[in-house]
């Protein structure tokens, strides 16, 4: 009677048993243990499943382990053992199943991960990854045995990274010879107990990975600010503290669910495979790959993965950054050209690098000043030497609205004719101009069911539609065309100057994105602002001394002294009165630039520029203070002194210093510098609508940028 009541009460347990039965075909229990299995809580079922899997990995017979199953499920005497279960099916030929979890501590701050073929380890945090045996892949970059360790950054702001074991060539050796070879490789890295554990679970197709604790000054500087400690590791209540959890915590990482890791669609993988093949072929030369699409569809993730895939086969990749708001290797507001020789294994704020050529645009968006944006791209693109493949990252500001217009025809055989009128946005028209300017060989267009409509940028569409500054031209299919208005300012090699440059269109590659993101039009701007602040903090982290030296607050670092008459000033985003120009420069993010004009002939300063120049930007810094008596700027920057000798211009834009830098100035007593509640919003340049510089576009659209003159912290 009690059993019947138990069955009625625990009716829904059968679905749980069916799922376990479906996933583990060798798991065979009788009816009574199945009933008692449903009476367990989820934590009890989790422990039971772990014991069964460990027994299965050890090769135990389910008939003999039935008593163990019954005792674990019911916690009753031995008499409650299940009825005889059929013998387990013979294990397939090949390597034995590995114990779960495949993680073992290997000393303080070290852990071993034993990965079977085509299995992965998803984690969050930062660590140094070394492949001791086999071959693994992280974010598209392949790490083989004998290669140097790689620093991997898996942050919560992006999809978590996964270490995947991939197939590698197997020499014609016996398993005993392979074990002897692996033991020799592991002798210099591990002790005897760790080697014995690995050899016990060794299989010819597995990969052995060593995870080590990693500490960098940039990461330490990032997480030292309040509210940013969650970026890499988030502490949460753990129901079970085991050796795996302790080993990973000593490294500084945490295991994550597989669904939280990076997943690329089949169309993205197919496009990437074709691009890698084209880039490695010498016949096609160096392709120019332009990646476009709307916001939050995975363009930046695709670019990082593609860079890592290309670095597996070639030595370097060129990268042209045209997205002002979400830059990859520089602080925001820049258009840059970089030569990438090392893999990209983290979010942008973990790999800030020095570009080959960079121009500071000064704003996170090119709205209301498109012409200057195009001119800067032309200037930066002229430095591309066409010696390696080029990846072009574009903005996500591309959308169009499709309106259907039904035209009635009364005196024709057809009752109605349907036509489509395409109302294009300026961002899409600007993208058409970029395609005509850069002349890419491949255009990778991302689309998603949740993104706005965007027409397919086929060669015919680009030829037939008018851009923002270029007009469409009627051309015959498969016939080249010349763009004299764009190419006249570009620099080519000597052998390319002899014959005119003829462009025959591009190949369109459509990629369907399936990224699961939670950003909405309401919180997208705040989320992007956080990423821009992290990029600025990542750049400022270069000021910190290397580990293991302690962090030094920014106000404790010694700045450079720059005379007033040594550099010129320009406020990019706003019109500021000359009497307030130094207020705008003080405590601001400044671009350290080099202009062609000589400014050394002026006896006094400050020297103000009437127009924003298109010039090289050598780096960035903070104007920490202004000495009016000695007429000096105090600049804090990680740019080396030999490069600072070429700086003769300071540009101030709408990119601001993160507020956490001002709020978390440790070691100060009394009033915190540059933080005030007494703020006059009526001063020119102090608010969004007062002092904004009017351009041709702003006079037409009545749209104003967002200048910031003083620091206002609520």
């Amino acid at each position: 009677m009690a059993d019947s009541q138990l069955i009625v009460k625990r009716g829904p347990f059968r679905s749980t048993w069916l799922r376990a039965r479906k996933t583990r075909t060798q798991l065979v229990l009788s009816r009574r243990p199945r009933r008692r299995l449903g009476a367990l809580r989820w934590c009890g079922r989790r422990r039971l499943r772990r014991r069964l899997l460990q027994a299965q990995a050890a090769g135990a017979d389910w008939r003999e382990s039935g008593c163990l199953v019954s005792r674990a499920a019911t916690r009753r005497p031995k008499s409650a053992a299940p009825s005889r279960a059929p013998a387990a099916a013979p294990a397939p030929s090949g390597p034995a199943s590995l114990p779960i979890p495949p993680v073992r501590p290997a000393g303080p701050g070290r852990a071993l991960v034993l990965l079977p073929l085509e299995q992965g380890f998803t984690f969050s945090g930062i660590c140094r990854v070394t492949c001791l045996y086999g071959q693994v892949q992280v974010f598209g970059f392949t790490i083989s045995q004998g290669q140097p360790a790689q620093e991997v950054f898996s942050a919560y702001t992006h999809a978590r990274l996964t270490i995947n074991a991939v197939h590698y060539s197997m020499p014609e050796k016996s398993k005993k010879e392979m074990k002897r070879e692996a033991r020799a490789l592991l002798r210099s890295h591990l002790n005897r107990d760790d080697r014995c554990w690995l050899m016990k679970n060794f299989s010819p197709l597995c990969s052995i990975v060593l995870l080590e604790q990693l500490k960098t000054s940039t990461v330490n500087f990032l997480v030292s600010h309040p509210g940013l400690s969650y970026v890499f590791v988030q502490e949460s209540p753990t129901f079970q503290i085991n050796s795996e959890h302790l080993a990973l915590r000593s490294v500084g990482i945490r295991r994550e669910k597989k669904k939280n890791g990076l997943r690329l669609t089949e169309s993205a993988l197919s496009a990437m495979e074709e691009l890698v093949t084209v880039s490695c072929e010498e016949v096609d030369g160096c392709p120019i790959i332009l990646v476009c699409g709307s916001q939050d569809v995975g363009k930046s993730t695709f670019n990082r993965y593609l860079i890592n895939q290309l670095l597996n086969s070639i030595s370097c990749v060129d990268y042209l950054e045209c997205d002002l708001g979400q830059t990859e290797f520089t602080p925001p507001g820049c258009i840059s050209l970089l030569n990438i020789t090392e893999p990209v294994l983290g979010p942008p704020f973990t790999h800030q690098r020095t570009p080959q050529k960079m121009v500071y645009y000064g704003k996170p968006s090119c709205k209301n000043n498109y012409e200057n944006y195009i001119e800067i791209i032309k200037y930066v693109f002229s430095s591309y030497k066409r010696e390696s493949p080029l990846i072009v990252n574009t903005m996500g500001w591309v959308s169009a609205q499709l309106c259907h217009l039904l035209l009635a025809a009364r005196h024709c055989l057809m009752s109605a004719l349907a036509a489509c009128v395409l109302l294009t946005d300026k961002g899409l028209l600007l993208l058409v101009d970029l395609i005509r300017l850069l002349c890419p060989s491949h255009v990778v267009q991302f689309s998603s069911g949740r993104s706005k409509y965007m027409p397919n940028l086929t060669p015919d569409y680009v030829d037939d539609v008018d851009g923002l500054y270029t007009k469409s031209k009627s051309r015959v299919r498969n016939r080249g065309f010349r763009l004299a208005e764009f190419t006249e300012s570009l620099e080519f090699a000597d052998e390319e100057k002899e014959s005119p440059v003829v462009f025959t269109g591009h190949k369109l590659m459509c990629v369907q994105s399936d990224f699961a993101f939670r950003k909405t039009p309401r919180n997208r701007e705040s989320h992007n602002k956080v990423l821009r602040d992290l990029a600025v903090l990542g750049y400022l982290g270069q000021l910190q001394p290397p580990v293991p030296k302690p962090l030094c607050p920014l106000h404790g670092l010694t700045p450079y002294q720059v005379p007033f008459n040594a550099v010129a000033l320009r406020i990019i985003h706003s019109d500021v009165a000359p009497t307030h120009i130094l207020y705008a420069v003080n405590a601001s993010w400044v671009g350290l630039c080099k202009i062609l004009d000589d400014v050394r002939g002026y006896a006094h300063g400050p020297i103000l520029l009437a127009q924003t120049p298109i010039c090289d930007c050598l780096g960035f810094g903070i104007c920490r203070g202004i000495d009016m008596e000695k007429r000096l700027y105090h600049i804090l920057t990680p740019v080396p002194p030999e490069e600072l000798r070429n700086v003769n211009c300071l540009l101030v834009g709408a990119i601001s210093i993160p507020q956490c830098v001002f709020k978390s100035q440790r070691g100060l007593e009394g009033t915190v510098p540059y933080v005030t509640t007494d703020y006059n919003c009526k001063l020119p340049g102090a608010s969004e609508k007062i002092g904004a510089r009017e351009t041709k576009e702003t006079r037409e659209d009545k749209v104003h940028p967002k200048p910031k003159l003083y620091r206002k912290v609520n």
Side-chain angles (χ1 to χ4, degrees):
M1 186 68 179
D3 291 340
S4 63
Q5 292 177 358
L6 182 62
I7 294 175
V8 175
K9 183 177 180 180
R10 298 293 180 181
F13 80 93
R14 182 171 297 273
S15 61
T16 304
W17 164 250
L18 290 177
R19 289 196 298 269
R21 174 79 176 182
K22 184 177 180 181
T23 54
R24 295 291 176 182
T25 56
Q26 297 180 354
L27 186 61
V28 181
L29 296 177
S30 61
R31 179 178 298 177
R32 180 172 295 179
R34 290 203 302 267
R35 296 173 183 172
R36 291 163 183 166
L37 177 64
L40 291 176
R41 293 186 176 182
W42 69 271
C43 54
R45 291 196 298 268
R46 185 178 178 182
R47 287 194 297 269
L48 174 60
R49 180 177 179 273
R50 185 181 294 108
R51 293 181 182 179
L52 294 179
L53 294 177
Q54 290 176 353
Q56 179 187 1
D61 191 356
W62 289 113
R63 293 182 179 183
E64 300 176 359
S65 61
C67 298
L68 174 64
V69 173
S70 178
R71 288 195 300 269
T74 62
R75 298 182 183 178
R76 293 186 179 183
K78 202 170 183 178
S79 59
S83 59
R84 170 171 292 189
S93 60
S97 301
L98 296 177
I100 296 178
V103 177
R104 175 183 173 90
R110 302 185 355 148
L112 285 173
V113 180
L114 190 60
L115 291 175
L117 181 62
E118 297 182 355
Q119 291 194 14
F121 175 76
T122 306
F123 69 97
S124 61
I126 62 174
C127 63
R128 183 179 287 107
V129 179
T130 306
C131 184
L132 302 180
Y133 183 82
Q135 194 174 77
V136 296
Q137 194 174 86
V138 183
F139 212 172
F141 184 74
T142 302
I143 307 175
S144 304
Q145 63 183 36
Q147 292 185 354
Q150 296 293 335
E151 298 179 354
V152 181
F153 305 85
S154 182
Y156 278 88
T157 55
H158 297 71
R160 261 65 87 201
L161 301 184
T162 303
I163 304 175
N164 294 305
V166 296
H167 181 77
Y168 52 92
S169 58
M170 293 284 296
E172 296 182 358
K173 297 180 181 179
S174 62
K175 185 176 181 180
K176 185 176 181 180
E177 294 176 344
M178 293 180 187
K179 278 190 173 183
R180 188 183 298 112
E181 181 183 359
R183 190 181 292 109
L185 292 174
L186 300 176
R187 187 172 290 112
S188 60
H189 300 278
L190 306 174
N191 56 30
R192 182 176 181 181
D193 295 339
D194 296 334
R195 295 198 305 268
C196 292
W197 178 80
L198 291 173
M199 292 301 102
K200 182 180 179 180
N201 303 286
F202 178 84
S203 64
L205 297 178
C206 70
S207 297
I208 303 174
V209 179
L210 176 64
L211 305 180
E212 298 177 288
Q213 188 181 31
L214 174 63
K215 290 184 178 181
T216 64
S217 56
T218 300
V219 173
N220 294 340
F221 179 74
L222 279 171
V223 300
S224 65
H225 293 85
L228 297 181
S229 59
Y230 70 93
V231 172
F232 293 104
V233 177
Q234 294 184 2
E235 295 293 338
S236 62
T238 306
F239 295 97
Q240 186 176 10
I241 303 297
N242 50 20
S243 59
E244 174 192 353
H245 175 79
L246 296 177
L248 296 180
R249 188 172 64 178
S250 66
V251 176
I253 62 177
R254 176 185 174 187
R255 181 192 284 267
E256 295 287 342
K257 296 181 179 180
K258 185 178 180 180
K259 65 179 182 180
N260 296 332
L262 175 64
R263 292 175 294 177
L264 296 177
T265 59
E266 291 295 334
S267 58
L269 294 175
S270 177
M272 204 169 304
E273 182 179 0
E274 181 178 351
L275 292 174
V276 172
T277 303
V278 172
S279 301
C280 296
E281 293 179 355
E282 298 181 358
V283 178
D284 296 335
C286 298
I288 299 178
I289 306 167
L290 186 141
V291 182
C292 62
S294 57
Q295 296 178 339
D296 305 324
V297 293
K299 299 189 300 297
S300 299
T301 303
F302 180 86
N303 291 336
R304 299 187 203 110
Y305 204 100
L306 179 59
I307 289 175
N308 294 334
Q309 286 276 294
L310 291 174
L311 290 179
N312 291 330
S313 305
I314 58 180
S315 59
C316 61
V317 180
D318 287 337
Y319 187 86
L320 178 61
E321 182 63 78
C322 299
D323 189 356
L324 298 170
Q326 304 298 329
T327 53
E328 185 67 32
F329 300 100
T330 63
C334 299
I335 297 175
S336 58
L337 177 67
L338 299 96
N339 187 262
I340 310 301
T341 57
E342 297 180 356
V344 182
L345 303 177
F349 51 86
T350 61
H351 49 252
Q352 296 289 300
R353 301 179 182 178
T354 303
Q356 178 182 349
K357 198 176 192 64
M358 177 174 60
V359 175
Y360 185 44
Y361 186 83
K363 293 184 290 185
S365 175
C366 69
K367 292 183 179 180
N368 312 320
N369 199 358
Y370 314 107
E371 188 174 358
N372 191 32
Y373 175 76
I374 290 290
E375 292 297 329
I376 292 177
I377 292 180
K378 290 169 57 178
Y379 177 76
V380 175
F381 182 66
S382 63
S383 299
Y384 175 51
K385 300 180 181 179
R386 304 176 185 268
E387 296 178 353
S388 56
L390 176 65
I391 300 176
V392 182
N393 184 35
T394 60
M395 299 181 299
W397 177 44
V398 285
S399 62
Q401 299 176 355
L402 190 62
C403 303
H404 296 279
L405 180 63
L406 188 63
L407 301 178
R410 299 181 179 179
H411 304 286
C412 300
L413 296 177
M414 300 176 60
S415 59
L417 296 176
C420 292
V421 178
L422 188 64
L423 304 179
T424 55
D425 198 351
K426 288 186 177 180
L428 181 59
L429 301 180
L430 194 63
L431 179 60
V432 173
D433 289 339
L434 282 182
I435 295 177
R436 293 176 179 171
L437 165 63
L438 304 177
C439 302
S441 59
H442 297 77
V443 173
V444 182
Q445 182 176 349
F446 277 78
S447 61
S448 174
R450 291 164 293 184
S451 60
K452 295 183 180 180
Y453 172 78
M454 180 179 176
N456 291 335
L457 300 178
T458 61
D460 294 337
Y461 177 84
V462 175
D463 291 348
D464 296 337
V465 71
D466 290 340
L468 198 60
Y469 295 102
T470 59
K471 301 299 181 181
S472 61
K473 298 181 180 179
S474 300
R475 306 176 187 89
V476 182
R477 182 173 296 182
N478 299 329
R479 182 178 178 182
F481 57 91
R482 297 174 175 82
L483 293 179
E485 63 274 12
F486 276 147
T487 58
E488 59 183 5
S489 61
L490 302 182
E491 297 180 0
F492 300 98
D494 296 337
E495 60 272 10
E496 296 178 350
K497 292 180 180 179
E498 298 178 358
S499 58
V501 181
V502 180
F503 304 103
T504 58
H506 61 268
K507 180 178 181 180
L508 178 64
M509 308 176 71
C510 297
V511 174
Q512 184 66 24
S513 175
D514 193 22
F515 275 84
F517 57 89
R518 299 180 180 178
K519 287 189 287 184
T520 62
R522 292 185 178 181
N523 63 2
R524 178 179 290 113
E525 182 59 31
S526 60
H527 182 83
N528 294 340
K529 181 65 166 58
V530 172
L531 296 181
R532 288 194 291 267
D533 290 347
L534 289 174
V536 173
L537 292 175
Y539 185 86
L540 293 177
Q542 302 176 18
L543 290 167
Q544 298 298 324
V547 292
K549 294 183 180 180
L551 293 177
C552 183
L554 294 182
H555 60 267
L557 299 174
T558 303
Y560 293 96
Q561 296 181 355
V562 182
F564 279 6
N565 58 356
V567 293
L569 294 179
R570 176 64 177 174
I571 308 299
I572 300 175
H573 64 289
S574 178
D575 286 325
V576 181
T579 55
H580 295 154
I581 194 71
L582 295 181
Y583 290 99
V585 178
N586 192 21
S588 293
W589 182 258
V590 295
L592 310 178
C593 304
K594 175 185 177 181
I595 59 178
L596 299 179
D597 298 336
D598 190 4
V599 297
R600 292 176 298 179
Y602 297 89
H604 302 283
I607 305 172
L608 306 182
L609 297 178
Q611 295 181 353
T612 302
I614 298 179
C615 56
D616 294 343
C617 182
L618 306 181
F620 296 92
I622 297 177
C623 184
R624 224 192 89 180
I626 298 178
D627 191 343
M628 295 301 298
E629 295 181 358
K630 299 181 180 180
R631 308 186 73 80
L632 295 173
Y633 303 110
H634 295 275
I635 305 296
L636 198 62
T637 176
V639 179
E642 55 272 12
E643 293 290 337
L644 289 178
R645 296 188 181 96
N646 300 323
V647 175
N648 58 0
C649 178
L650 302 180
L651 297 182
V652 180
I655 307 301
S656 59
I657 304 173
Q659 291 188 359
C660 60
V661 174
F662 296 99
K663 290 182 178 180
S664 60
Q665 301 183 55
R666 296 175 298 175
L668 297 179
E669 298 180 359
T671 304
V672 180
Y674 305 111
V675 178
T676 180
T677 57
D678 186 11
Y679 188 77
N680 187 1
C681 296
K682 296 182 180 180
L683 291 175
S687 64
E688 298 180 358
K689 297 183 179 181
I690 301 178
R693 178 175 293 116
E694 289 192 1
T695 60
K696 180 179 179 180
E697 289 80 6
T698 55
R699 287 191 294 269
E700 295 176 355
D701 301 336
K702 301 299 181 182
V703 178
H704 300 271
K706 298 180 180 180
K708 290 184 180 180
L709 179 58
Y710 304 108
R711 299 296 170 265
K712 179 181 179 182
V713 180
N714 297 327

